[in-house]
Amino acid sequence: MHTHDDDADPARTAAAAARVLTEAAGVDSFDIALVLGSGWGEAADLIGRTVATVPAADVPGFAPSGVPGHRGTLQAVAVDTGTGTRHALVLGARTHFYESRGVRAVAHPVRTAAAAGASTVVLTNGCGGLHREWAPGTAVLISDHVNLTAASPLEGATFVDLTDLYSPRLRAIAHSVDPELPEGVYAQFRGPHYETPAEVQMAKRMGADLVGMSTALEAIAAREAGMDVLGLSLVTNLAAGISPEPLSHAEVIEAGREAGPRISALLSAIVRTILS
């Protein structure tokens, strides 16, 4: 099994992983990458036909997923568009910051996608919602984020502008597919514990509409790599203190399961529109 060596150069590890994936798929490069979070896993099968599936443990820098409900594989998917066949890389092996493998491991999937030629990345997650009108099962476009992890995937004097981090062009494409899609600001906490009601109120005062444990660090790494970023959240539960019920991971998985077919069809339509 490949482990993530903290002394290894992140760019070199990403390039090695990209080689394994492009060779497995029989392609020179990928056009788009998707990180599928809780509830979004079915989208891979709707986007196109899978041409290769590689276990995470067989790819440099990747580890099997430590979270129930995540696939733990990487898939190459051929998408037939009006202008020919394009290729999507589906990253079903996300590392969360709370797994304590370091921020390099968190950023590794998107860096691998960039090294494999993908110019666009779609980051998805399951999250807690701060608005009662967003019932569990609501998909929300991420317009911006608040990074509350006290960490960055950037190392040294690497200054990257995040003004339009979540691409206005890609958000416009998503709205063309579903004009009703709401937008919101996502706050990433470190986890793995859920936020307290007081922390949820803090995030709300900071301008957040959604709270979760992924995405922001990946988005920063993707921007550094020159990728266009689209973010989509699935509200799996109302955040602590907003919902009268205690939070549970089982609830998250159940909300994802119920919403899965609908949000996967939405994501597939968005991806096909981006590629066409």
Side-chain angles (χ1 to χ4, degrees):
M1 185 200 298
H2 292 279
T3 55
H4 206 279
D5 177 7
D6 251 4
D7 299 326
D9 171 35
R12 203 165 59 234
T13 308
R19 271 195 303 278
V20 168
L21 294 167
T22 51
E23 284 171 14
V27 297
D28 292 331
S29 65
F30 290 94
D31 300 291
I32 192 169
L34 299 97
V35 179
L36 299 183
S38 300
W40 296 92
E42 295 170 53
D45 303 323
L46 295 179
I47 289 164
R49 61 183 193 285
T50 299
V51 293
T53 301
V54 186
D58 295 347
V59 186
F62 283 87
S65 175
V67 184
H70 290 63
R71 285 193 174 193
T73 58
L74 295 96
Q75 282 168 273
V77 178
V79 187
D80 294 318
T81 68
T83 54
T85 303
R86 313 291 291 277
H87 288 89
L89 174 61
V90 179
L91 301 154
R94 165 184 260 159
T95 292
H96 292 79
F97 192 43
Y98 58 70
E99 292 176 58
S100 300
R101 293 180 55 233
V103 74
R104 283 184 176 181
V106 174
H108 180 60
V110 297
R111 287 180 172 146
T112 295
S119 56
T120 300
V121 65
V122 182
L123 301 172
T124 66
N125 60 56
C127 69
L130 273 59
H131 302 292
R132 286 185 183 277
E133 61 269 27
W134 292 349
T138 302
V140 182
L141 270 181
I142 300 176
S143 58
D144 204 347
H145 78 228
V146 180
N147 174 12
L148 297 176
T149 65
S152 172
L154 311 184
E155 300 176 31
T158 309
F159 306 113
V160 175
D161 175 40
L162 303 179
T163 305
D164 281 330
L165 176 52
Y166 296 91
S167 165
R169 178 183 69 84
L170 295 178
R171 277 153 52 203
I173 289 173
H175 281 304
S176 76
V177 172
D178 181 358
E180 303 293 298
L181 263 181
E183 293 201 354
V185 175
Y186 179 92
Q188 179 178 355
F189 284 81
R190 190 182 192 286
H193 51 274
Y194 290 111
E195 307 76 25
T196 66
E199 288 166 344
V200 169
Q201 289 304 314
M202 173 191 77
K204 194 172 187 176
R205 290 188 177 97
M206 287 176 162
D209 305 292
L210 309 158
V211 292
M213 305 173 196
S214 67
T215 305
L217 294 173
E218 295 159 330
I220 296 166
R223 167 51 64 91
E224 181 200 15
M227 303 171 94
D228 286 336
V229 179
L230 180 67
L232 277 162
S233 286
L234 168 67
V235 176
T236 54
N237 55 276
L238 290 172
I242 292 170
S243 162
E245 302 298 316
L247 305 182
S248 75
H249 188 65
E251 175 188 29
V252 170
I253 290 178
E254 182 52 34
R257 194 179 291 124
E258 285 182 15
R262 180 171 44 81
I263 63 170
S264 296
L266 168 69
L267 183 55
S268 169
I270 291 171
V271 168
R272 294 169 89 65
T273 307
I274 291 170
L275 291 176
S276 61

